[in-house]
Amino acid sequence: MRLLTHNMLSCNIKGVTKGFPLSIEVQRLDTKDADFNPDFLRNIFPKLEWKAFHDAAVSIGLNDIPEQVDPTMLEDHEFLQKFHHALLEVHLEEGALICPETGRRFPVTKGVPNMLLHEDEV
Amino acid sequence: MDDVSSSTGETGGFTKPRPGVEQKPTAHLFVANCGPAVGLSFDVIKKSFSSFGPVAAVHPAGDSGTRVVVSFEKVEDAVAAKNAWNGHKCDALQGRIMFMQFSVFQPPSLVEDHHPVMTSSAECGIPGLQLYPDFVSEDEEKRLLAAVDQLPWQVLAKRRVQHFGYEFLYKSRNVDLSQRLGVLPPFVDAVVERLSALPELTSSEERSLPLDQLTVNEYPRGIGLSPHIDTHSAFEGSIMSLSLAGPCAMEFRRYMNASKEESGNLTEDDDRGSDNVPGKSQMERRALLLPARSLVVLSDEARYVWHHYIPHHKIDYVNGEIIERGSRRVSFTFRKVRHGPCHCKFVQDCDSQVSGIPSSPFLSTAESEECLNSDELGGDAGLDISDESSKVNYQNRGKRTSRSESRRSFSTDQTIGDVGDAQETRELQQKNLNEQSFRHFSHPTPDIEKQYVHKVYDAIAPHFSSTRFAKWPKVAAFLDSLAPGSIIADSGCGNGKYLGLNPKCYFIGCDISPPLVAICSQRGHEALVADALHLPYRSNFYDAAISIAVLHHLSSDQRRIRALEELVRVVRPGGKVLITVWAVEQEDSRLVKKWTPLEGKYTEEWVADEDVKSHLKKSPSSSSLNIIQEGDGCEATICSDDVSTLDIVERDEASRVDSSTSLSSIEEQQSIQTAGKVQDPQQEYFVPWHLPYHRAEVNGASVAAVASGFARKDDKKGAVVYDRYYHVFAEGELERLTSKVKGAVIVDQFYDKSNWCVILQKA
């Protein structure tokens, strides 16, 4: 699971009003090369919840993502490289995603989050 | 100026006794929920009330247009009218339920009721309040108004709104951080740039940047805003509001001596005390004229402590002059949503630091349940918790002595007076709830889907996947049509054959079958295990979503609609959703003959019935399987799973099968299928999946499946046979279901290769 995916995930357990962002419990990370595409990064930038992305990056040990950003930074190649790496190349292989409101733990196994809810959670 | 507005704040000199005081009948009836604003002209009102006796006059009570004073010539006629109509549905007046009290005439007070309206923020002397006149030019004003007038408005009770960045949720008076709508629209870029350079924003300790939420409100003439503080926990930093098209006077109120100790609940006591009532609590009031094209900035104390309020007037008095409000006022309110709690120093007004503080001091819990109150600067009013209705609440508590007070309280009305409005509000609230993108769907998955869909795919995943590679051109065309950089959700992605099909887009697949998702992941796709009825995604995020050959595995309309709602929820406004399902009208009638019709509309009990199941399994139609050999040595059944198989069939069987799938063959097939019950074509089927004995997975789950009777062996075909549940769609059915999904419209629909397909666009 990439951090880009993490930025889209929300816990939808019944009654949860702030199921986003999920916190990340890391057991194993992996890094896989991805094609560097600045246009894609610029397109995705406004859709991201930057604070959630930044906090997620920090929580998995990526400390070179700035907390504050503005669109002018998208012209900065060095920033884009870091952004690209954190967003698309680092994968959570084993671990869990934790609902910020309920503490419910969604396991991540072999890179796949299991977001299925139990029957008493829907 | 018309008659009503000329008596702004006045009530024609009549008043209504204080609550608790026994009402002595008079000839004058104060009637709430009645007036021109609810479609009843004074003439009509006069005529209707005349059925009880001569009516001398009908006066407006205040300028709300929803309250009048009906003056009979005789007291007994007023008594009769009140006895007959008070609190009852009145057919003579459009079925409205009116509330009446006796009123007495009082000469106008000499005490000035209103207080001066300032024209500069400095005169107001409220820390953190700043007015910038002429913040935008006339041209800019025109452009901004033209831009929002081209976009769809959300219609509320008395005004219209548009939300950008995040939707402001009136029920919670907050925003949902997981439901970001997107960036602010480009037509405000220039304004945002200037706002961002304001000293209030750049020098503040608290971050107001980047601004990421905009609410545009359009107030018709005479509509104001109920007093409130914007929820502390919802927004941080300064709040800025542009006034366009027309001016208004904004009043600021600070409630003194709030005494939580006494009541334990701010809403109950502290702020209900009226001004001028000495002792327990007092209110400071300042008013500021917001001219058209001006910007008002609320920071610090002005934002966190002072309630802002726009009286429901059509005119404002400023320095002895009458300022007309104009036919409408459009406000653009810019804010930054807050992540996390508020830590302001104004603890007693802070919902993050004191529990149970609603944004308006006038809303009890019950009222806020009933009424959509907004929370916005330049926000709402309209929404029926008007200042008037709230005034009555403190009027009920306060002891009023001066004439001006009793007169002011008279111009107001009790909450129940607005029954019609309250009903309208409830309807709107319901509408609003429906429009909220996320709803819960608390129904467990039926056993038929667990047994005959989920478990089957788990058992056959690798074999299934090995037969699923051909991409259907219509799906590919849809994906290719999306803008580079689009983010696409594939809900029910199976083995992920569409993930990554457009390399310029980012795909996320999900499926309820872990083995299928594992295959996606092994192929390098981003995928997760999730239920299409409970997508684990935040709302309004994706640029597009696809649901290919998924809905026909759901076993009720309710579930199929829910799946559609989830697809619509997760895409952004303007985003598209492609849905394909198997059609009743199969082009190749041979396929249908291999399916096992489920007799009647089964139930879970029905499916659990062993006798029926064994009957189904003995059905001759399920034993005539044809297996074709594919070029790569893999085996695939002719039974199609999704459209791609039909491609294979067409390709591989062209020489053997007459592939001309004419309508007549469809009709013929249907007539066979539905013989004797033409009105009710068979739609519920078990469709077999033949897992060849030599497949490795036969040694695993399938052995147990056969042992438990869940699957069966077909030695003749050399395969373990699984039944998959299908509800195939009749013509028009998918369209009918999608029409029940709010907030999306059908932009394309077609039949292709035995599938019904719809493309939806989110409004």
Side-chain angles (χ1 to χ4, degrees):
Chain A
M1 185 206 69
R2 297 170 165 99
L3 288 191
L4 175 50
T5 302
H6 170 265
N7 209 267
M8 308 170 191
L9 291 179
S10 174
C11 170
N12 288 340
I13 289 176
K14 184 179 190 176
V16 168
T17 55
K18 302 231 172 183
F20 175 88
L22 299 153
S23 60
I24 300 177
E25 184 184 298
V26 183
Q27 285 168 15
R28 189 166 68 81
L29 296 173
D30 199 0
T31 303
K32 300 169 190 172
D33 288 343
D35 292 340
F36 178 66
N37 182 341
D39 286 338
F40 177 79
L41 295 173
R42 289 181 194 115
N43 281 327
I44 193 71
F45 175 79
K47 297 175 81 64
L48 289 179
E49 280 292 339
W50 191 266
K51 182 171 170 25
F53 174 60
H54 166 267
D55 293 352
V58 169
S59 76
I60 64 170
L62 299 171
N63 294 313
D64 53 359
I65 296 299
E67 192 171 357
Q68 302 287 326
V69 279
D70 63 75
T72 60
M73 295 167 74
L74 294 170
E75 304 310 315
D76 175 354
H77 186 74
E78 194 185 338
F79 166 76
L80 285 179
Q81 289 282 3
K82 290 173 185 168
F83 180 25
H84 166 76
H85 178 69
L87 190 72
L88 299 169
E89 294 192 320
V90 180
H91 295 247
L92 177 67
E93 286 295 306
E94 301 289 332
L97 301 171
I98 318 285
C99 168
E101 192 169 316
T102 62
R104 161 74 143 87
R105 197 170 171 279
F106 296 95
V108 178
T109 315
K110 293 182 180 168
V112 174
N114 186 329
M115 303 299 294
L116 278 182
L117 301 181
H118 303 136
E119 284 195 353
D120 59 1
E121 292 173 333
V122 300
Chain B
M1 223 166 27
D2 59 37
D3 288 338
V4 178
S5 61
S6 67
S7 61
T8 292
E10 304 292 330
T11 59
F14 294 94
T15 190
K16 153 180 101 175
R18 290 194 300 275
V21 177
E22 196 182 329
Q23 284 196 350
K24 199 173 160 188
T26 70
H28 312 290
L29 277 182
F30 176 93
V31 183
N33 202 24
C34 178
V38 297
L40 301 173
S41 70
F42 294 119
D43 282 349
V44 166
I45 295 166
K46 186 173 178 180
K47 211 177 208 174
S48 300
F49 277 90
S50 295
S51 62
F52 297 96
V55 173
V58 175
H59 308 275
D63 50 14
S64 70
T66 62
R67 296 134 202 161
V68 296
V69 172
V70 178
S71 290
F72 286 92
E73 288 178 3
K74 296 177 190 162
V75 175
E76 59 262 37
D77 295 339
V79 172
K82 182 168 184 277
N83 287 343
W85 283 356
N86 181 32
H88 299 297
K89 193 173 160 201
C90 174
D91 292 332
L93 290 169
Q94 300 178 359
R96 297 193 75 79
I97 298 173
M98 296 173 291
F99 295 89
M100 305 177 188
Q101 289 181 287
F102 294 111
S103 184
V104 292
F105 181 78
Q106 268 188 339
S109 166
L110 297 175
V111 181
E112 271 300 302
D113 187 26
H114 60 84
H115 38 280
V117 175
M118 320 285 188
T119 52
S120 76
S121 43
E123 288 175 86
C124 287
I126 298 174
L129 174 66
Q130 188 65 49
L131 179 74
Y132 291 92
D134 296 313
F135 189 78
V136 292
S137 68
E138 286 179 22
D139 279 351
E140 214 166 7
E141 177 185 38
K142 268 184 210 153
R143 279 200 301 275
L144 289 168
L145 291 171
V148 292
D149 280 334
Q150 279 182 354
L151 295 171
W153 291 92
Q154 184 184 348
V155 180
L156 300 180
K158 293 181 181 170
R159 62 184 177 125
R160 306 192 297 175
V161 298
Q162 294 181 21
H163 298 286
F164 301 93
Y166 292 85
E167 182 176 4
F168 185 83
L169 303 171
Y170 296 103
K171 191 172 168 64
S172 62
R173 286 176 251 151
N174 211 317
V175 294
D176 184 341
L177 295 177
S178 71
Q179 302 193 7
R180 190 171 180 192
L181 302 174
V183 293
L184 297 187
F187 57 81
V188 296
D189 281 354
V191 171
V192 168
E193 197 174 312
R194 296 214 301 280
L195 292 174
S196 302
L198 288 174
E200 287 82 1
L201 275 69
T202 52
S203 65
S204 165
E205 290 171 21
E206 209 184 4
R207 282 173 49 202
S208 298
L209 297 170
L211 297 169
D212 56 10
Q213 202 274 334
L214 164 64
T215 297
V216 180
N217 287 273
E218 182 199 56
Y219 303 95
R221 184 164 181 255
I223 297 300
L225 166 68
S226 46
H228 68 280
I229 301 172
D230 285 40
T231 311
H232 286 206
S233 65
F235 306 106
E236 67 183 317
S238 300
I239 293 172
M240 283 143 289
S241 194
L242 267 182
S243 293
L244 302 180
C248 76
M250 179 172 275
E251 186 175 311
F252 296 89
R253 296 176 163 188
R254 180 176 186 168
Y255 298 86
M256 315 299 286
N257 305 332
S259 49
K260 286 184 292 296
E261 305 78 28
E262 289 179 36
S263 65
N265 183 343
L266 266 177
T267 64
E268 283 304 308
D269 280 330
D270 303 329
D271 298 322
R272 304 258 178 148
S274 71
D275 50 326
N276 303 331
V277 175
K280 191 170 172 186
S281 62
Q282 277 196 324
M283 177 170 72
E284 259 188 271
R285 304 163 78 173
R286 315 276 169 83
L288 177 64
L289 180 70
L290 308 181
R293 299 186 290 104
S294 70
L295 175 80
V296 65
V297 182
L298 305 185
S299 310
D300 196 41
E301 203 179 300
R303 182 260 181 274
Y304 287 122
V305 180
W306 289 76
H307 296 252
H308 50 274
Y309 162 52
I310 302 172
H312 306 265
H313 293 171
K314 293 175 179 168
I315 55 164
D316 293 298
Y317 294 100
V318 181
N319 296 332
E321 275 182 62
I322 291 170
I323 307 283
E324 288 276 350
R325 285 264 178 104
S327 62
R328 66 168 180 168
R329 172 176 168 267
V330 178
S331 68
F332 280 56
T333 303
F334 295 87
R335 297 177 282 207
K336 178 183 187 310
V337 303
R338 186 189 291 277
H339 298 261
C342 175
H343 298 293
C344 71
K345 58 189 177 190
F346 310 105
V347 175
Q348 69 183 26
D349 292 305
C350 182
D351 65 307
S352 288
Q353 300 176 67
V354 177
S355 62
I357 295 187
S359 61
S360 162
F362 304 114
L363 284 176
S364 70
T365 309
E367 283 167 338
S368 61
E369 285 297 312
E370 291 264 313
C371 303
L372 283 171
N373 190 37
S374 111
D375 223 1
E376 298 164 76
L377 176 68
D380 87 319
L383 294 178
D384 299 310
I385 289 288
S386 63
D387 183 51
E388 273 74 14
S389 61
S390 55
K391 269 187 195 165
V392 167
N393 288 326
Y394 58 74
Q395 175 218 336
N396 289 345
R397 293 161 190 275
K399 292 190 174 65
R400 290 180 178 272
T401 49
S402 81
R403 262 180 205 162
S404 68
E405 281 170 346
S406 55
R407 198 189 60 195
R408 176 148 25 90
S409 69
F410 168 73
S411 74
T412 70
D413 177 31
Q414 68 271 54
T415 306
I416 54 166
D418 274 340
V419 161
D421 289 347
Q423 280 168 348
E424 188 189 355
T425 304
R426 269 191 294 277
E427 283 166 21
L428 279 158
Q429 182 179 24
Q430 190 56 47
K431 183 165 171 264
N432 198 51
L433 285 177
N434 290 339
E435 281 167 4
Q436 275 183 19
S437 28
F438 190 73
R439 290 191 299 117
H440 285 284
F441 182 79
S442 302
H443 301 278
T445 306
D447 285 344
I448 188 160
E449 291 176 33
K450 288 185 192 166
Q451 281 281 324
Y452 292 98
V453 181
H454 306 170
K455 276 177 80 170
V456 174
Y457 283 107
D458 287 353
I460 68 174
H463 179 237
F464 172 82
S465 178
S466 71
T467 66
R468 293 291 165 274
F469 49 84
K471 278 85 174 174
W472 189 34
K474 291 276 188 183
V475 179
F478 175 80
L479 296 175
D480 283 341
S481 74
L482 301 171
S486 293
I487 300 192
I488 302 159
D490 184 347
S491 176
C493 64
N495 69 335
K497 69 177 182 178
Y498 292 113
L499 301 179
L501 196 62
N502 180 339
K504 291 176 179 156
C505 297
Y506 188 79
F507 289 75
I508 293 188
C510 73
D511 202 283
I512 204 161
S513 168
L516 285 174
V517 174
I519 290 169
C520 299
S521 180
Q522 285 154 19
R523 292 175 173 179
H525 299 307
E526 199 76 349
L528 44 99
V529 181
D531 186 345
L533 280 74
H534 302 281
L535 292 177
Y537 304 134
R538 52 190 176 101
S539 304
N540 302 309
F541 187 89
Y542 290 92
D543 297 294
I546 58 174
S547 165
I548 309 301
V550 175
L551 249 59
H552 53 226
H553 283 315
L554 302 176
S555 58
S556 70
D557 265 6
Q558 190 189 23
R559 295 176 60 74
R560 296 184 276 263
I561 291 169
R562 165 65 181 195
L564 290 167
E565 287 172 343
E566 280 289 86
L567 291 163
V568 170
R569 177 182 70 83
V570 302
V571 298
R572 62 170 169 81
K576 287 183 178 171
V577 181
L578 169 67
I579 303 128
T580 79
V581 293
W582 279 17
V584 168
E585 301 83 358
Q586 289 288 313
E587 291 178 351
D588 186 345
S589 61
R590 297 172 313 140
L591 293 177
V592 183
K593 289 173 188 163
K594 299 186 175 79
W595 303 348
T596 307
L598 299 179
E599 298 292 335
K601 185 69 185 172
Y602 59 87
T603 63
E604 287 175 34
E605 292 74 24
W606 192 96
V607 169
D609 185 320
E610 287 303 317
D611 289 337
V612 181
K613 273 199 285 193
S614 63
H615 168 75
L616 286 172
K617 283 165 189 165
K618 284 173 196 156
S619 164
S621 68
S622 63
S623 61
S624 55
L625 181 79
N626 191 3
I627 295 178
I628 57 168
Q629 203 71 32
E630 287 195 357
D632 62 359
C634 286
E635 286 176 320
T637 63
I638 283 185
C639 278
S640 78
D641 176 69
D642 64 11
V643 287
S644 64
T645 307
L646 288 180
D647 290 343
I648 297 166
V649 171
E650 284 188 353
R651 191 180 66 228
D652 292 354
E653 301 252 300
S655 58
R656 285 193 275 158
V657 179
D658 177 9
S659 62
S660 65
T661 52
S662 67
L663 200 60
S664 64
S665 73
I666 295 171
E667 284 164 354
E668 181 189 15
Q669 173 252 309
Q670 276 186 286
S671 67
I672 294 166
Q673 281 293 313
T674 61
K677 42 175 183 171
V678 178
Q679 300 300 319
D680 183 22
Q682 180 67 38
Q683 289 186 260
E684 312 292 323
Y685 287 100
F686 277 156
V687 174
W689 183 269
H690 290 76
L691 185 62
Y693 285 162
H694 64 78
R695 292 289 307 193
E697 50 269 42
V698 169
N699 295 322
S702 290
V703 172
V706 170
S708 67
F710 170 53
R712 61 189 180 275
K713 290 171 80 170
D714 184 336
D715 288 334
K716 203 169 147 193
K717 304 293 172 198
V720 175
V721 185
Y722 286 87
D723 284 318
R724 289 171 299 158
Y725 165 76
Y726 276 77
H727 166 91
V728 291
F729 280 63
E731 183 171 9
E733 185 177 357
L734 187 56
E735 185 188 353
R736 175 176 62 79
L737 292 188
T738 51
S739 72
K740 295 187 177 174
V741 177
K742 295 195 169 55
V745 293
I746 296 174
V747 292
D748 195 9
Q749 51 185 319
F750 50 93
Y751 172 88
D752 196 71
K753 299 211 166 64
S754 301
N755 285 256
W756 292 111
C757 312
V758 158
I759 297 176
L760 295 177
Q761 185 162 28
K762 185 163 179 172

